[in-house]
Amino acid sequence: MMKRLVAALALAAAPLHAQSFDVTAIGVRGGVDDGNLTAWMIAPHGDKRAVMCDAGSLVNGIEAARAKGSLKGSRETILHDDIRGYMISHAHLDHLAGMLIAAPDDSKKPIYVLPSVGQKILDSYFNWDAWANFTDRGKAPALGNYRLTDLTPGETRPIDGTAMTLTAYPLAHGGVESTAFLVSTNEASLLCLGDTGPDSLEKQPRLRELWQAVAPRVRERNLKAIIIEVSYASERPDKQLFGHLTPAYLLRSLHELEAAADGKGALKGLPIIVSHIKPALSGPDPRVTILRELNAGNDLGVRFILPDQGQRWAF
C-alpha cells in the first residue's frame, strides 16, 4: 500500500517539473535597441516547429541565438522552416519590424492577429507605400506570402504546422488594442503578453479578465511560464507610462492572478520572464533597478527572469 501511495504521489507531482516548451529570446527590449526588440520563439519541448510571439527583431535575434548555441541550423532554415507563423500582439513597430524586414525573403506562413491589429498592419505597413503588400488582403497586388488569420477572443485554434494551439485575449495599451496569447499543447500552456498597461490606468479590466481565464491552469499547475512586459522602474509617473507596466504595477496584478487561482502560494515557483524593458541612453541600467524592485516585492514566490537576447529555456 505504501509503495502504491508513493508512486501515485510521484506521478501527481511529475507534471510540475516536466518540460513542455522551449522558449528562445529572439528580442527582449523595448525602446532604442533596434536589433533586440520584443520577439519570442515558442515550440513544444524538443520540437523545432515554432511560432513567434511578436517579431520586433527577427534575423538579428536568430543570429544571436545561433551564436549562443540556442538554435541549431542555418538562419535560412530557422526562418523558413522552423518558424511556422507569427502571433502579432499589436501594430507598433517594436513588435513587428523584424517580420516586415524579413518579409521579402520569408517563406509562406500565417500571421495570427485580432482583427483590429490586422487592419492596422495593412493600413500602416503592407500598403505599397511603407512596404510592399506581402499579405493576402488589402491593396493590390496582394503578394500572398503571409496569410492574415483573424482571431476571436477566447476561442482556441490550431497553430498551423505545429503541435500547438493558441487562444487570444485582448489587452489595453494606452488606447491601442494589444493581445495576450495562450499557447498550449496537450499537456501544458504558456502565456505571452504584448504591451499592456495596468487596469487602473487603462480603465479597462483586461488583465483581470485574462487572469480569470488562465487561473484554472495555474491551479492545475498547467501554466508553465508567463512572458510579460515591465517597461519602466516604479518611480516613473503614471502619466508617462504610455500604456506600460512598472514593477509595482506588475506585482499588484500578479497578486490578482494569485487570488483568482485560489490564493496564497498559488503562483509559487512560476517563471515570469520580464520583457520589453526600455534601455537608458545613459546612466544606470534600468534592468538592475527593475529586478531589485521585483525581488523586493516578491512575496508571491514566483521566479523572475530578466532575459538576454539569444537565451533559451525549457519550461
Side-chain angles (χ1 to χ4, degrees):
M1 176 66 74
M2 182 58 68
K3 288 183 179 179
R4 287 199 298 271
L5 178 59
V6 170
L9 290 172
L11 181 62
L16 294 176
H17 306 289
Q19 294 174 329
S20 300
F21 293 97
D22 292 327
V23 177
T24 307
I26 302 300
V28 305
R29 298 291 189 99
V32 299
D33 281 2
D34 53 7
N36 186 13
L37 299 173
T38 304
W40 300 93
M41 189 173 173
I42 302 168
H45 182 55
D47 186 338
K48 297 186 72 173
R49 297 170 298 167
V51 68
M52 292 297 304
C53 180
D54 284 330
S57 296
L58 194 55
V59 173
N60 189 73
I62 289 171
E63 287 291 83
R66 291 178 69 237
K68 282 184 165 68
S70 299
L71 294 177
K72 306 296 183 183
S74 69
R75 64 180 183 177
E76 179 180 12
T77 297
I78 295 166
L79 178 65
H80 287 181
D81 301 334
D82 296 352
I83 296 173
R84 300 299 179 96
Y86 301 99
M87 306 182 303
I88 301 299
S89 66
H90 62 295
H92 287 165
L93 272 170
D94 57 333
H95 292 259
L96 50 66
M99 181 188 73
L100 295 177
I101 297 301
D105 298 296
D106 207 350
S107 57
K108 290 182 180 291
K109 57 192 61 165
I111 301 175
Y112 300 102
V113 285
L114 292 176
S116 70
V117 177
Q119 192 59 52
K120 285 184 174 65
I121 291 173
L122 288 174
D123 292 344
S124 299
Y125 307 115
F126 291 129
N127 55 19
W128 287 105
D129 291 319
W131 207 237
N133 184 8
F134 290 97
T135 77
D136 57 349
R137 302 185 202 167
K139 191 172 181 180
L143 301 178
N145 208 39
Y146 292 146
R147 184 177 73 256
L148 279 174
T149 303
D150 289 336
L151 303 174
T152 300
E155 290 190 5
T156 300
R157 62 146 294 138
I159 301 174
D160 295 345
T162 77
M164 299 177 289
T165 63
L166 73 89
T167 312
Y169 298 93
L171 298 173
H173 171 43
V176 171
E177 186 171 52
S178 183
T179 319
F181 298 103
L182 184 70
V183 179
S184 301
T185 64
N186 289 333
E187 296 83 22
S189 299
L190 184 142
L191 186 62
C192 182
L193 284 75
D195 289 354
T196 182
D199 288 350
S200 60
L201 298 183
E202 297 293 331
K203 308 303 181 186
Q204 298 183 65
R206 295 305 194 191
L207 282 170
R208 186 172 76 240
E209 292 168 350
L210 174 64
W211 299 147
Q212 291 289 339
V214 303
R217 298 176 185 271
V218 175
R219 287 194 292 268
E220 296 160 7
R221 298 290 180 176
N222 174 279
L223 188 67
K224 293 294 185 174
I226 296 175
I227 303 170
I228 190 168
E229 70 125 286
V230 172
S231 293
Y232 304 106
S234 297
E235 66 181 5
R236 192 172 178 90
D238 287 352
K239 64 182 179 180
Q240 295 180 14
L241 290 182
F242 310 117
H244 293 292
L245 294 174
T246 65
Y249 278 122
L250 174 58
L251 288 163
R252 189 179 306 171
S253 191
L254 288 176
H255 278 96
E256 293 182 357
L257 174 57
E258 181 186 59
D262 287 348
K264 192 67 176 176
L267 304 186
K268 187 175 181 180
L270 181 66
I272 307 290
I273 300 179
V274 180
S275 180
H276 203 267
I277 294 175
K278 291 182 177 288
L281 288 172
S282 61
D285 185 350
R287 288 163 54 94
V288 175
T289 302
I290 286 170
L291 182 60
R292 182 175 65 247
E293 291 180 354
L294 288 171
N295 286 334
N298 184 13
D299 59 354
L300 299 154
V302 300
R303 178 162 64 95
F304 287 116
I305 299 171
L306 262 64
D308 290 317
Q309 186 178 39
Q311 280 187 295
R312 183 174 182 170
W313 302 264
F315 295 116

